[in-house]
Amino acid sequence: NTLTPADLYPGVADCARQEDYQKAIALYTLAGAYGRFDTLRVADRTAHAALAALQMGDFGSLSPATQGRLRAELQSQLRDPARLAGICNSLRGIGAPNYMPTYMIQHGMGAFTGNTGDGLTPGFDAKASWQSILSSYLHCPAQH
């Protein structure tokens, strides 16, 4: 839980190039969940575009066929209840991010205009936000 989307997305691309889509999807969903979490806790909305920039940079080098296969595999796994449950259980086991989202904070306009403070949203509730990511972003089934 210390790896940022900036650390994880290159691994997704590498796995896709090697046609290891199972690992690519595991890394992709973790990076996506962490990125979404970071958009909730980083105050500067302009910084949230960091995720799209990372994806374009890391996935832009993949062939169109590989990009298509990655998308198809992602959709297939997220639509399969058993696979989705496995992904969700894995993410629950890893837990919420445990790093400072510097990669995102430095991407926003606040980094250039000299915003003071740490760049995080005051009063951010990490536990509730992580649960929200699992249920609303990934549509994880409720834990019993």
Side-chain angles (χ1 to χ4, degrees), residues 22-48:
Q22 191 77 9
K23 285 183 185 172
I25 300 309
L27 291 172
Y28 184 88
T29 54
L30 180 62
Y34 279 12
R36 182 63 63 101
F37 184 89
D38 292 340
T39 64
L40 296 176
R41 67 179 171 158
V42 171
D44 182 355
R45 289 176 144 339
T46 66
H48 300 171

Side-chain angles (χ1 to χ4, degrees), residues 50-123:
L51 291 177
L54 289 172
Q55 290 174 343
M56 285 188 320
D58 290 317
F59 304 145
S61 65
L62 297 176
S63 72
T66 301
Q67 289 179 28
R69 179 82 192 271
L70 181 62
R71 274 191 301 277
E73 285 292 325
L74 177 64
Q75 290 173 357
S76 172
Q77 287 195 32
L78 294 180
R79 288 182 181 148
D80 180 313
R83 286 184 171 174
L84 176 60
I87 289 168
C88 294
N89 288 337
S90 177
L91 292 179
R92 285 184 181 109
I94 294 167
N98 187 22
Y99 57 78
M100 181 68 169
T102 305
Y103 78 96
M104 184 175 282
I105 293 167
Q106 290 178 343
H107 185 82
M109 290 304 298
F112 300 101
T113 60
N115 276 359
T116 58
D118 62 7
L120 300 179
T121 302

Side-chain angles (χ1 to χ4, degrees), residues 33 36-38 40-41 96 123-137:
R36 182 63 63 101
F37 184 89
D38 292 340
L40 296 176
R41 67 179 171 158
F124 177 73
D125 185 340
K127 184 176 180 179
S129 294
W130 183 241
Q131 292 307 315
S132 173
I133 297 299
L134 294 176
S135 64
S136 65
Y137 173 64

